[in-house]
Amino acid sequence: MNLILIGPPGSGKGTQAVRLAQAMSVPAISTGDILRKAVQDGSPAGRAAKAVMDRGELISDEMMTDIVSARLDEADTRPGCVLDGFPRTVNQAVALDRLMDGRGHVVVAELVVPEAALIRRLTMRRVCRRCGINAQPESPACRCGGSLVSRADDREDVVRERLRVYECATRPLAEFYGARRMLHAIDGTLAPRLVTARIMNAIDASLGLELQPTTVCKPASASPWRA
Ligand code: ADP
């Protein structure tokens, strides 16, 4: 089972990827995390990527496809994976089709959150300088002891650019996957555990494992609300 998470920056893909990967016993693959690690390691590719990421723009489809292809070659992805941040363009989705060939079922969940909430979430977000995870609200430091900082690309002007790039480059993926009946739109404004539950239900439904109703409904004609 493979799950692709799509949704604008700040819609909760990273949080959900970790939770769902745990529930599904498969690895979560976050292209943003892979890129930030390359930046931290100071490799030439990482340095080039940093400039692009700090402007809120996208890394080339070729580079991203190579990164994901190499990650999918690793043995731990054989039972499946949760993809967070890839694909982000239709070209990447076409490349992913090839990479997913023979890897079993693929489900796509789109997290839907209004723009004002996204801007609020991202500009208020604090991450740990040392381990990179999102901080708990109100906490003064990370559990690992690292200090909390804003991500360089969470400045409001960069956030607006990321949202603009999302609209033109990534939004068309909803149609791409919707036309194949692979897409499940999920309300990303709900509490994280409810978002997780709804995605799990969508996965079950797509596997034809929809739960049987637990209550028996009376026939509609017996309803007191009907004439
Ligand atoms: P978010 O989803 O919150 O924008 P990510 O952590 O997923 O943040 O990604 C951070 C940045 O990394 C993106 O703004 C982009 O520059 C780059 N990036 C990540 N994944 C991709 C991708 N699939 N294609 C192109 N660029 C990417």
Side-chain angles (χ1 to χ4, degrees):
M1 164 54 74
N2 300 278
L3 173 68
I4 298 172
L5 289 174
I6 62 175
S11 57
K13 297 184 302 292
T15 303
Q16 292 302 323
V18 171
R19 300 171 73 115
L20 289 154
Q22 218 163 31
M24 294 160 63
S25 304
V26 296
I29 301 177
S30 156
T31 48
D33 285 352
I34 294 173
L35 290 168
R36 280 184 288 276
K37 170 90 174 43
V39 170
Q40 230 172 21
D41 293 348
S43 65
R47 277 201 300 274
K50 178 169 169 40
V52 177
M53 291 163 74
D54 285 355
R55 289 197 301 270
E57 295 167 9
L58 296 184
I59 309 294
S60 75
D61 290 336
E62 293 71 24
M63 180 171 166
M64 293 314 303
T65 304
D66 286 350
I67 287 175
V68 172
S69 170
R71 181 65 186 86
L72 289 174
D73 276 345
E74 290 175 39
D76 63 334
T77 66
R78 233 168 267 150
C81 65
V82 178
L83 279 172
D84 157 22
F86 187 92
R88 246 181 166 92
T89 65
V90 171
N91 277 342
Q92 292 180 14
V94 171
L96 184 62
D97 268 353
R98 266 181 280 117
L99 297 177
M100 282 290 157
D101 198 24
R103 283 176 170 267
H105 203 68
V106 181
V107 174
V108 184
E110 179 193 19
L111 299 180
V112 181
V113 178
E115 183 172 299
L118 296 171
I119 294 174
R120 206 174 330 114
R121 283 183 185 183
L122 290 170
T123 53
M124 292 179 62
R125 172 163 72 180
R126 296 291 176 270
V127 296
C128 174
R129 189 197 292 277
R130 191 190 296 167
C131 70
I133 65 166
N134 284 357
Q136 297 296 316
E138 318 289 334
S139 57
C142 181
R143 286 197 195 106
C144 81
S147 56
L148 302 178
V149 292
S150 253
R151 249 169 63 173
D153 58 352
D154 279 348
R155 257 186 17 223
E156 186 165 342
D157 55 333
V158 183
V159 164
R160 288 189 186 278
E161 175 62 8
R162 285 158 67 200
L163 291 171
R164 193 190 65 76
V165 169
Y166 181 82
E167 280 305 316
C168 65
T170 311
R171 175 80 67 198
L173 287 183
E175 202 172 313
F176 179 89
Y177 288 120
R180 299 163 168 215
R181 304 196 155 277
M182 293 165 75
L183 186 75
H184 299 264
I186 307 288
D187 180 354
T189 65
L190 299 171
R193 70 184 166 78
L194 295 178
V195 176
T196 309
R198 292 207 176 179
I199 297 174
M200 294 297 283
N201 283 345
I203 293 172
D204 285 349
S206 80
L207 286 170
L209 298 178
E210 258 178 310
L211 297 174
Q212 295 302 311
T214 50
T215 52
V216 179
C217 297
K218 286 186 184 150
S221 58
S223 162
W225 306 108
R226 286 211 164 195

